[in-house]
mmCIF file of all heavy atoms in Angstrom:
data_model
loop_
_atom_site.group_PDB
_atom_site.id
_atom_site.type_symbol
_atom_site.label_atom_id
_atom_site.label_comp_id
_atom_site.label_asym_id
_atom_site.label_seq_id
_atom_site.Cartn_x
_atom_site.Cartn_y
_atom_site.Cartn_z
ATOM 1 N N ASP A 363 -67.429 -64.061 200.404
ATOM 2 C CA ASP A 363 -66.998 -63.345 199.194
ATOM 3 C C ASP A 363 -65.548 -63.605 198.819
ATOM 4 O O ASP A 363 -65.158 -63.426 197.668
ATOM 5 C CB ASP A 363 -67.222 -61.838 199.374
ATOM 6 C CG ASP A 363 -68.695 -61.477 199.298
ATOM 7 O OD1 ASP A 363 -69.508 -62.362 198.965
ATOM 8 O OD2 ASP A 363 -69.025 -60.309 199.585
ATOM 9 N N ASP A 364 -64.718 -63.993 199.795
ATOM 10 C CA ASP A 364 -63.316 -64.268 199.480
ATOM 11 C C ASP A 364 -63.035 -65.755 199.331
ATOM 12 O O ASP A 364 -61.878 -66.194 199.383
ATOM 13 C CB ASP A 364 -62.376 -63.641 200.524
ATOM 14 C CG ASP A 364 -62.743 -64.031 201.946
ATOM 15 O OD1 ASP A 364 -63.765 -64.719 202.121
ATOM 16 O OD2 ASP A 364 -62.014 -63.637 202.874
ATOM 17 N N GLY A 365 -64.108 -66.576 199.151
ATOM 18 C CA GLY A 365 -63.919 -67.985 198.811
ATOM 19 C C GLY A 365 -63.685 -68.909 199.976
ATOM 20 O O GLY A 365 -63.155 -70.012 199.779
ATOM 21 N N LEU A 366 -64.072 -68.503 201.175
ATOM 22 C CA LEU A 366 -63.949 -69.381 202.343
ATOM 23 C C LEU A 366 -65.289 -70.064 202.598
ATOM 24 O O LEU A 366 -66.351 -69.535 202.258
ATOM 25 C CB LEU A 366 -63.541 -68.572 203.577
ATOM 26 C CG LEU A 366 -62.264 -67.732 203.463
ATOM 27 C CD1 LEU A 366 -61.996 -67.005 204.781
ATOM 28 C CD2 LEU A 366 -61.064 -68.595 203.088
ATOM 29 N N ILE A 367 -65.257 -71.259 203.210
ATOM 30 C CA ILE A 367 -66.491 -71.949 203.572
ATOM 31 C C ILE A 367 -67.130 -71.199 204.736
ATOM 32 O O ILE A 367 -66.489 -70.908 205.747
ATOM 33 C CB ILE A 367 -66.205 -73.414 203.989
ATOM 34 C CG1 ILE A 367 -65.448 -74.154 202.879
ATOM 35 C CG2 ILE A 367 -67.506 -74.128 204.334
ATOM 36 C CD1 ILE A 367 -66.215 -74.312 201.590
ATOM 37 N N ASN A 368 -68.435 -70.860 204.593
ATOM 38 C CA ASN A 368 -69.111 -70.124 205.667
ATOM 39 C C ASN A 368 -69.805 -71.091 206.628
ATOM 40 O O ASN A 368 -69.671 -72.318 206.508
ATOM 41 C CB ASN A 368 -70.079 -69.089 205.094
ATOM 42 C CG ASN A 368 -71.196 -69.731 204.275
ATOM 43 O OD1 ASN A 368 -71.551 -70.897 204.479
ATOM 44 N ND2 ASN A 368 -71.762 -68.969 203.344
ATOM 45 N N SER A 369 -70.586 -70.540 207.555
ATOM 46 C CA SER A 369 -71.216 -71.371 208.587
ATOM 47 C C SER A 369 -72.246 -72.340 208.015
ATOM 48 O O SER A 369 -72.545 -73.364 208.638
ATOM 49 C CB SER A 369 -71.874 -70.474 209.652
ATOM 50 O OG SER A 369 -72.825 -69.614 209.032
ATOM 51 N N ASN A 370 -72.774 -72.046 206.801
ATOM 52 C CA ASN A 370 -73.730 -72.981 206.191
ATOM 53 C C ASN A 370 -73.074 -74.302 205.802
ATOM 54 O O ASN A 370 -73.760 -75.298 205.612
ATOM 55 C CB ASN A 370 -74.349 -72.358 204.924
ATOM 56 C CG ASN A 370 -75.252 -71.182 205.240
ATOM 57 O OD1 ASN A 370 -75.885 -71.150 206.289
ATOM 58 N ND2 ASN A 370 -75.305 -70.212 204.342
ATOM 59 N N GLY A 371 -71.747 -74.269 205.658
ATOM 60 C CA GLY A 371 -71.063 -75.462 205.181
ATOM 61 C C GLY A 371 -70.719 -76.474 206.259
ATOM 62 O O GLY A 371 -70.155 -77.527 205.945
ATOM 63 N N GLY A 372 -71.000 -76.166 207.503
ATOM 64 C CA GLY A 372 -70.697 -77.117 208.562
ATOM 65 C C GLY A 372 -69.502 -76.693 209.371
ATOM 66 O O GLY A 372 -68.542 -76.149 208.809
ATOM 67 N N PRO A 373 -69.544 -76.929 210.691
ATOM 68 C CA PRO A 373 -68.476 -76.437 211.582
ATOM 69 C C PRO A 373 -67.095 -77.001 211.288
ATOM 70 O O PRO A 373 -66.088 -76.338 211.513
ATOM 71 C CB PRO A 373 -68.967 -76.853 212.980
ATOM 72 C CG PRO A 373 -69.945 -77.956 212.720
ATOM 73 C CD PRO A 373 -70.591 -77.659 211.416
ATOM 74 N N ASP A 374 -67.030 -78.233 210.752
ATOM 75 C CA ASP A 374 -65.718 -78.851 210.513
ATOM 76 C C ASP A 374 -64.945 -78.169 209.387
ATOM 77 O O ASP A 374 -63.725 -78.316 209.292
ATOM 78 C CB ASP A 374 -65.881 -80.341 210.171
ATOM 79 C CG ASP A 374 -66.408 -81.136 211.346
ATOM 80 O OD1 ASP A 374 -66.277 -80.640 212.492
ATOM 81 O OD2 ASP A 374 -66.942 -82.233 211.128
ATOM 82 N N PHE A 375 -65.651 -77.466 208.534
ATOM 83 C CA PHE A 375 -64.993 -76.882 207.360
ATOM 84 C C PHE A 375 -65.084 -75.358 207.318
ATOM 85 O O PHE A 375 -64.538 -74.732 206.418
ATOM 86 C CB PHE A 375 -65.619 -77.462 206.083
ATOM 87 C CG PHE A 375 -65.600 -78.956 206.029
ATOM 88 C CD1 PHE A 375 -66.737 -79.693 206.342
ATOM 89 C CD2 PHE A 375 -64.443 -79.643 205.710
ATOM 90 C CE1 PHE A 375 -66.719 -81.076 206.314
ATOM 91 C CE2 PHE A 375 -64.413 -81.028 205.679
ATOM 92 C CZ PHE A 375 -65.560 -81.755 205.986
ATOM 93 N N GLU A 376 -65.757 -74.765 208.282
ATOM 94 C CA GLU A 376 -65.961 -73.321 208.289
ATOM 95 C C GLU A 376 -64.623 -72.573 208.304
ATOM 96 O O GLU A 376 -63.708 -72.926 209.055
ATOM 97 C CB GLU A 376 -66.802 -72.901 209.503
ATOM 98 C CG GLU A 376 -67.180 -71.418 209.467
ATOM 99 C CD GLU A 376 -68.099 -71.036 210.614
ATOM 100 O OE1 GLU A 376 -68.566 -71.930 211.357
ATOM 101 O OE2 GLU A 376 -68.336 -69.824 210.767
ATOM 102 N N GLY A 377 -64.518 -71.541 207.442
ATOM 103 C CA GLY A 377 -63.299 -70.732 207.368
ATOM 104 C C GLY A 377 -62.217 -71.329 206.493
ATOM 105 O O GLY A 377 -61.139 -70.743 206.340
#
Side-chain angles (χ1 to χ4, degrees):
D363 287 352
D364 53 356
L366 305 181
I367 304 296
N368 62 25
S369 57
N370 292 328
D374 293 340
F375 305 100
E376 187 176 352

